Amino acid sequence: MAVFSHADFADHEGVYFAADPESNLRAIIAVHSTVRGPAAGGTRFWRYESDEAALTDALRLSKAMSYKNAAADLPLGGGKAVLIYPEGEFDRVSLFEAYGRAIDRLGGTYITAEDVGVSPEDMDIIHSQTKYVAGLSKGAAASGDPSPVTAEGVFRGLKAGVRHIWGSDDLSEKTVAVQGLGHVGYALCEKLHAAGAKLLVADINERVLERAEASLGATRVESQDVHVQKADIYCPCALGGALNAQTVPDIQAKLVAGAANNQLASAEIMPLLERNGITYLPDFVLNAGGIINVATEVAGNYSQEWVEQKLVGLEATISKILRVADEEGVTTLQVANRIAEDRLKRE
Ligand code: NAD
């Protein structure tokens, strides 16, 4: 398996492979940058079709964390870990303990938190083996599940996008298609519903769809068709790659604003979105609420006020990106990348 010649290897400072046969642990911890501080980013627990696919995810996600943390102006570098879902039986506690020991061996270069497939309780198990973990459910500085704050950040950024396109952030006449009703997606739907938006929702989990229909008056659509719906706004909140050469030409929405990491399948997708008249809010800026929440825990003194200030900053950054992109005739991604890259330069 290629690492240094891998297409997504972006001069990562370190890529660590951890295994523990007794607990079935197989993990890849990718540290993209520690220029701004310890590399921080969640752990994803997922069934990968190959080790190669797991590595690709770790490399891409860790680089995105560097950009996310820099764009949110956090004193954190970028890293991410993937935990490969074991084949057959396994003991979750032993697995997360072994994973905690693997993180501890890195001595603070990498600090983990939740991502897809893991919970605050899993973070507590990791915490039994290492202090380099955040998003805990208990303890003096515990910030808990970052997802509600991620959803709040996405919601505020989305409204900035709506204001930019339609001149007002009134959502009562808007239809929003949401893919993925997990921790973030469902919380986002609740906010959109409360603001009067009409919801079209897709997930592969029947239970959450029933809940959204019953509680939020949402209409369910097939996941493979969610992007083709006649909606004003499309929110990819499942996994990465929702915006690709097959989906973009069929997207009806004028605005894409979702929580998923790495929504663009490749660099060529951004001009395609532009050509189709779709405004894209860069994912790594929009979904930073969770890491903002985690950052205050890492600092050791959880502060609601600081989180609020940062969320106000997130919305302002989205507005600035939209304005500068228009003024300079460049893409929103170019502006967002520039903001992050300026802050990632070594002094
Ligand atoms: P989650 O695991 O709670 O939810 C993901 C949801 O997507 C699940 O309900 C799942 O059934 C659904 N799903 C999976 N494949 C699907 C498909 N093909 N079509 C439709 N639905 C599908 O994860 P989450 O924490 O809500 O995170 C969602 C996305 O946001 C991820 O990309 C994650 O990396 C990103 N993100 C999350 C946070 C956070 O604070 N949790 C922060 C930043 C970014």
Side-chain angles (χ1 to χ4, degrees), residues 309-332:
Q309 246 176 43
K310 282 287 178 189
L311 288 175
V312 169
L314 184 158
E315 186 174 342
T317 305
I318 291 287
S319 295
K320 177 179 162 182
I321 288 169
L322 289 164
R323 193 182 66 245
V324 174
D326 271 3
E327 280 167 8
E328 298 185 6
V330 296
T331 69
T332 51

Side-chain angles (χ1 to χ4, degrees), residues 37-60:
T43 294
R44 180 167 290 191
F45 192 24
W46 196 249
R47 276 194 179 83
Y48 287 97
E49 62 192 31
S50 64
D51 293 353
E52 182 87 38
L55 176 66
T56 300
D57 221 18
L59 292 174
R60 283 189 191 163

Side-chain angles (χ1 to χ4, degrees), residues 44 46 68 80 115-117 145-147 150 179-185 202-205 208 223 237-240 259-261 287 290:
R44 180 167 290 191
W46 196 249
K68 183 184 311 199
K80 197 93 178 185
D115 189 53
V116 177
D145 182 2
S147 311
T150 304
Q179 180 186 42
L181 303 185
H183 290 91
V184 182
D203 200 291
I204 50 174
N205 177 347
V208 293
S223 185
C237 295
L239 295 181
N261 283 309
N287 69 13

